Amino acid sequence: MNKKVKTKLTVQIQKKVRRDWQLLLMCLLPAIYFIVFHYLPMYGVQIAFKDFYASKGIWGSDWVGFKYFRRFFHSYQFWPLIKNTLALSFLQILVGFPIPILLAILLNQMKNQKFKSFVQTVTYCPHFISIVVLTGMLYIFLSPRTGLINNIIAFFGGEKKFFLGEPGWFRPIFVLSGVWQNAGWNAIIYIAALAGISADLYEAARIDGASKWQIIRHIDLPGIMPTVTMMLIMEMGKIMNIGFQKAYLMQNGLNISASEIIPTYIYKIGLIDAQYSYSAAISLFNNIINIILLVTVNKIAQKTSENSLW
């Protein structure tokens, strides 16, 4: 009986493979990509537990256990790095996460299609500006001598400031420039979720005399809440992995007390100072924290709502 069942399953699988071989071939390419660039490199994670020398190779290097983890935990930079990374991450979520939702809802309520398309295009475009160009724009606009912002401040009698040289201004500039660049792009998924809401619900609400605020509150928000929950879980899962490029390019000797975060520190000690084992240990610690946060937030979402990643 077992042989018959196995034979039947084998025949069914072969039929499905012959029928959908084009789709399977398309899926094979991204699968190979993730295996080659995301899973095979995990073999090198063991250098976090070794005193790695390139001349000896991974297997030839001496095993030192948690030596580099202890070194990081006892480093004077440990708490400042954790503080800066978490502060910047939570500020990004607090400010940057709700704005695309609000933008999507406002666009969904617009009746003038031409103006709606114009707003969508204007808000999407900054996403395609590279981080290097964006940082250059920040230095130009915020220049203490020729910057537009400082000239406006001086015009109204204020005192010019070197914004990118003050630690207190680093986080607001980092977060707000990120919102400007990504809000329109991040709103796409919420616009798609709003498009999936049945038009009958809107029609029934209008017949009942519901205002726009009531429609947003009782139709739009509940309709996109599953998407919002999943996006929030994913954002919490990468809370320790802030974009390295932008922080590094905005960093200078004056604002380093606020701009030095874990990704920039890993880059400096790993690629510049060639402390491979130490940087690998910090990176592994960083990813473990992200995994713990992802699983925890997903578990909370399971218990408080019906929406979760798994």
Side-chain angles (χ1 to χ4, degrees):
M1 184 67 180
N2 289 335
K3 289 184 178 179
K4 289 183 178 180
V5 172
K6 288 180 180 179
T7 304
K8 188 176 180 180
L9 287 172
T10 303
V11 171
Q12 288 178 347
I13 291 170
Q14 288 175 347
K15 285 182 179 179
K16 289 181 179 179
V17 169
R18 283 196 296 268
R19 183 189 65 192
D20 301 325
W21 69 270
Q22 296 97 333
L23 295 175
L24 293 171
L25 184 62
M26 290 178 65
C27 292
L28 183 63
L29 296 175
I32 292 172
Y33 166 80
F34 279 102
I35 290 170
V36 172
F37 294 102
H38 291 269
Y39 286 96
L40 290 181
M42 291 174 69
Y43 157 79
V45 169
Q46 60 183 300
I47 70 173
F49 304 95
K50 293 192 170 190
D51 198 3
F52 175 74
Y53 288 95
S55 58
K56 295 181 179 180
I58 293 177
W59 286 107
S61 299
D62 297 328
W63 186 272
V64 294
F66 292 95
K67 170 186 173 181
Y68 290 106
F69 292 92
R70 289 193 295 269
R71 175 182 166 186
F72 179 56
F73 296 152
H74 291 97
S75 169
Y76 73 93
Q77 292 174 307
F78 176 75
W79 286 114
L81 287 171
I82 295 293
K83 175 189 171 184
N84 289 341
T85 304
L86 290 177
L88 203 56
S89 294
F90 281 117
L91 193 59
Q92 279 192 131
I93 292 175
L94 184 64
V95 178
F97 186 76
I99 289 179
I101 300 171
L102 179 62
L103 178 61
I105 290 172
L106 292 175
L107 288 171
N108 189 58
Q109 292 294 324
M110 284 187 183
K111 301 300 179 185
N112 189 323
Q113 291 300 317
K114 288 185 178 180
F115 183 68
K116 179 179 178 179
S117 299
F118 172 75
V119 173
Q120 285 180 307
T121 303
V122 169
T123 54
Y124 292 167
C125 283
H127 175 77
F128 300 100
I129 299 174
S130 73
I131 297 296
V132 176
V133 174
L134 174 65
T135 308
M137 291 169 63
L138 290 175
Y139 273 99
I140 292 171
F141 287 126
L142 299 174
S143 170
R145 290 187 298 174
T146 59
L148 175 64
I149 304 300
N150 272 306
N151 284 332
I152 293 173
I153 292 172
F155 179 78
F156 287 101
E159 184 179 350
K160 292 184 177 183
K161 291 183 179 181
F162 182 26
F163 289 99
L164 291 174
E166 296 185 15
W169 279 102
F170 177 81
R171 290 171 191 158
I173 294 170
F174 186 96
V175 172
L176 293 176
S177 61
V179 170
W180 174 77
Q181 186 178 28
N182 298 313
W185 182 261
N186 292 338
I188 293 174
I189 191 168
Y190 301 113
I191 293 171
L194 287 166
I197 299 174
S198 174
D200 295 338
L201 293 175
Y202 292 106
E203 189 64 30
R206 292 189 186 96
I207 291 172
D208 289 341
S211 63
K212 284 189 176 182
W213 167 244
Q214 289 173 325
I215 290 173
I216 292 171
R217 182 181 175 186
H218 297 290
I219 298 177
D220 288 347
L221 289 176
I224 65 172
M225 196 51 64
T227 305
V228 171
T229 303
M230 287 188 288
M231 293 299 293
L232 181 59
I233 292 171
M234 288 191 287
E235 285 294 320
M236 293 299 293
K238 57 182 181 180
I239 200 165
M240 300 290 283
N241 286 339
I242 309 171
F244 150 78
Q245 273 187 315
K246 187 176 174 184
Y248 186 71
L249 290 170
M250 289 177 62
Q251 192 177 91
N252 55 57
L254 297 174
N255 65 22
I256 198 165
S257 61
S259 62
E260 187 75 297
I261 55 177
I262 290 177
T264 60
Y265 186 66
I266 290 173
Y267 170 77
K268 289 175 182 177
I269 64 170
L271 294 180
I272 297 178
D273 296 341
Q275 300 182 50
Y276 302 117
S277 295
Y278 187 37
S279 62
I282 299 172
S283 182
L284 183 57
F285 163 77
N286 205 40
N287 288 323
I288 289 172
I289 297 297
N290 279 331
I291 292 170
I292 292 171
L293 286 171
L294 179 64
V295 173
T296 303
V297 174
N298 188 73
K299 201 70 178 176
I300 293 170
Q302 278 182 335
K303 291 183 177 180
T304 57
S305 68
E306 298 178 355
N307 308 304
S308 60
L309 289 178
W310 65 85

